[in-house]
């Protein structure tokens, strides 16, 4: 697998598995997910910024953020804000992050109309490279389909491309 290719698959109709190798050591890749100053530089699809990014990186802690579309070429999305919230369940540095991912509002209230996800991220040490395995489990196949229909796969592909670019800048 080339470092710029993301591989995706679905298990049991409701678990989306994403894998990609990044050209950076595991500790550096892991740090990109725990520090707001890093997350603000790469999280989200192209054309979107993170004007709000509050991270309390510990089990029980919350990551609350806002993605805002700044790209006029994205038409109806331009100016749109999308709020999210992650609640960390388990953190094993630099090997694993487990969290529950929610759609939320600016106050951090979860949107019960949109799917909640149980996310397990594994950071596999490949020497000077790191493989991320991201397992996102939804309550149902329909919930997974809802986020797929929202363009989530393209969004995460662009997000991980931006992560690779950020890693190249700082390593």
């Amino acid at each position: 697998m080339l470092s710029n290719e993301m591989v995706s698959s679905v298990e049991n109709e409701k678990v989306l598995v994403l894998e990609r190798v990044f050209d950076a050591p595991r500790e550096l890749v892991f740090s990109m997910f725990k520090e707001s100053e890093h997350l603000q530089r790469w999280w989200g699809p192209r054309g979107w910024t993170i004007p709000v990014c509050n991270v309390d990186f510990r089990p029980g802690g919350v990551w609350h953020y806002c993605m805002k579309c700044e790209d006029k070429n994205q038409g109806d999305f331009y100016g749109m804000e999308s709020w999210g919230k992650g609640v960390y369940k388990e953190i094993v540095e630099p090997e694993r992050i487990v969290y529950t991912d929610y759609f939320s509002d600016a106050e951090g209230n979860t949107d019960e109309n949109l799917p909640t996800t149980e996310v397990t991220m594994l950071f596999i040490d490949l020497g000077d490279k790191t493989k991320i395995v991201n397992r996102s489990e939804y309550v149902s196949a329909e919930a997974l389909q809802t986020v797929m229909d929202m363009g989530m796969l393209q969004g995460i592909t662009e997000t991980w491309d931006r992560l690779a670019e950020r890693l190249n800048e700082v390593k």
Side-chain angles (χ1 to χ4, degrees), residues 27-84:
E27 288 73 16
L28 179 58
V29 175
F30 191 92
S31 73
M32 293 290 149
F33 287 85
K34 74 178 202 177
E35 298 169 16
S36 62
E37 56 269 22
H38 285 311
L39 283 162
Q40 285 185 285
R41 292 175 183 255
W42 67 268
W43 185 262
R46 295 197 187 281
W48 292 69
T49 60
I50 308 292
V52 177
C53 185
N54 299 309
V55 179
D56 182 7
F57 193 71
R58 62 180 175 81
V62 173
W63 171 33
H64 186 229
Y65 63 92
C66 173
M67 297 190 308
K68 183 172 184 177
C69 184
E70 306 282 359
D71 181 359
K72 291 180 176 160
N73 295 321
Q74 293 191 23
D76 291 344
F77 290 110
Y78 177 68
M80 180 185 286
E81 289 185 353
S82 178
W83 288 84

